[in-house]
Amino acid sequence: MDAFILGCISFCTSVITGVIGVGGGLLLIAILPSFLPANDLIPIHGLNQITSNVSRAYFGYKNIQFQVIPKFLIGSLVGVGTFACFLTMISLTYIPLFIGTYILLSLWSQSFNNKITKYENYYVIGFFQTGLSVIVGTTGQLAMVKLLKEFKDKDKVIATSALLMSLTHILKIIVFIYFGFVFHDYLSIIISMIIGSILGSYCGSKLRDKIKGEKLIFALKILLSMLAVKSILSII
């Protein structure tokens, strides 16, 4: 039953990201603590997000701005190696606390967002986006801010962001495999979520021009905030 439910949730969150370009990954990782142990949240979420982002990039392939990839990838490689060291220094029991705090700050603290986005350079963005994702799960809005300023076409922004996030999650999954995470233990859940992600990406790409993003974004922020608080309280 959990596999089916998570597949449906994965579908819905993938649709949201397909429509507005960001938010679905945050929503998914805020929901996962209700279904998965704390130690397994980030790797399962990361594997799912690879599928979601790769499929979204595929459906928008012609709009991807490939010139930004090399700089982002170099920063990502350095970042994932640096931040992976923290995994050996903290208890993964507190991952829900990191996730909930990060979500609340990202949604409501302008000073926090100003601090993490003012270094608008693809090397730096790759470093922090991929590095931080090892600890908090998803950080797609870091690159989104830069892409929105550089490209005015939302299809270019969403497709390029999807490819950058694919690289982020692929590198993150390599880290968790290195630390010995066994994905086979969650095979049915993973398959269900992958199917949901692909279908959601397809539907989101078709709905993008038919749904007003402003109302959806506001409702998403409220829901995310509630889930973030729940995530923080879950470790108390």
Side-chain angles (χ1 to χ4, degrees):
M1 182 58 71
D2 282 355
F4 176 75
I5 294 173
L6 285 172
C8 293
I9 293 172
S10 182
F11 169 81
C12 294
T13 56
S14 191
V15 168
I16 290 171
T17 308
V19 172
I20 63 178
V22 71
L26 273 172
L27 180 57
L28 179 61
I29 202 167
I31 293 173
L32 284 180
S34 298
F35 295 89
L36 298 173
N39 287 5
D40 303 333
L41 288 178
I42 305 265
I44 296 297
H45 176 268
L47 187 61
N48 174 258
Q49 288 299 285
I50 290 174
T51 305
S52 179
N53 284 283
V54 167
S55 58
R56 189 162 63 255
Y58 172 78
F59 293 128
Y61 179 82
K62 63 181 180 180
N63 293 303
I64 296 175
Q65 305 303 294
F66 288 97
Q67 67 272 21
V68 309
I69 305 302
K71 296 177 182 178
F72 180 87
L73 180 57
I74 291 171
S76 293
L77 289 169
V78 177
V80 76
T82 301
F83 279 85
C85 297
F86 287 104
L87 289 179
T88 64
M89 302 177 188
I90 62 173
S91 170
L92 295 185
T93 302
Y94 294 98
I95 287 294
L97 174 62
F98 288 119
I99 293 172
T101 302
Y102 173 75
I103 290 173
L104 290 175
L105 288 173
S106 295
L107 290 175
W108 304 110
S109 174
Q110 189 58 48
S111 62
F112 175 78
N113 284 311
N114 288 340
K115 288 177 182 177
I116 64 173
T117 59
K118 66 182 179 180
Y119 302 104
E120 293 185 331
N121 174 302
Y122 284 110
Y123 293 109
V124 175
I125 290 171
F127 178 87
F128 283 108
Q129 176 164 303
T130 304
L132 285 171
S133 73
V134 174
I135 298 176
V136 300
T138 182
T139 51
Q141 57 267 54
L142 296 182
M144 184 66 74
V145 173
K146 173 68 172 173
L147 292 170
L148 283 169
K149 290 182 179 180
E150 193 163 330
F151 307 107
K152 303 304 179 183
D153 187 321
K154 67 177 181 180
D155 290 322
K156 291 181 179 179
V157 171
I158 292 175
T160 306
S161 175
L163 185 55
L164 297 182
M165 283 306 300
S166 297
L167 295 172
T168 288
H169 289 297
I170 287 170
L171 291 173
K172 178 174 66 181
I173 289 301
I174 292 173
V175 170
F176 279 96
I177 291 175
Y178 173 78
F179 279 105
F181 187 82
V182 181
F183 289 96
H184 184 268
D185 294 343
Y186 292 95
L187 190 58
S188 61
I189 287 177
I190 289 170
I191 292 174
S192 180
M193 292 179 71
I194 284 175
I195 293 172
S197 290
I198 295 173
L199 293 175
S201 291
Y202 177 78
C203 293
S205 67
K206 298 299 181 182
L207 293 171
R208 191 174 300 153
D209 294 325
K210 299 178 181 180
I211 297 179
K212 291 185 178 180
E214 294 82 3
K215 293 182 178 179
L216 183 61
I217 289 173
F218 179 74
L220 180 63
K221 289 179 70 173
I222 298 300
L223 180 57
L224 278 171
S225 297
M226 294 171 61
L227 290 169
V229 172
K230 178 179 180 293
S231 183
I232 292 171
L233 293 177
S234 69
I235 70 166
I236 297 177

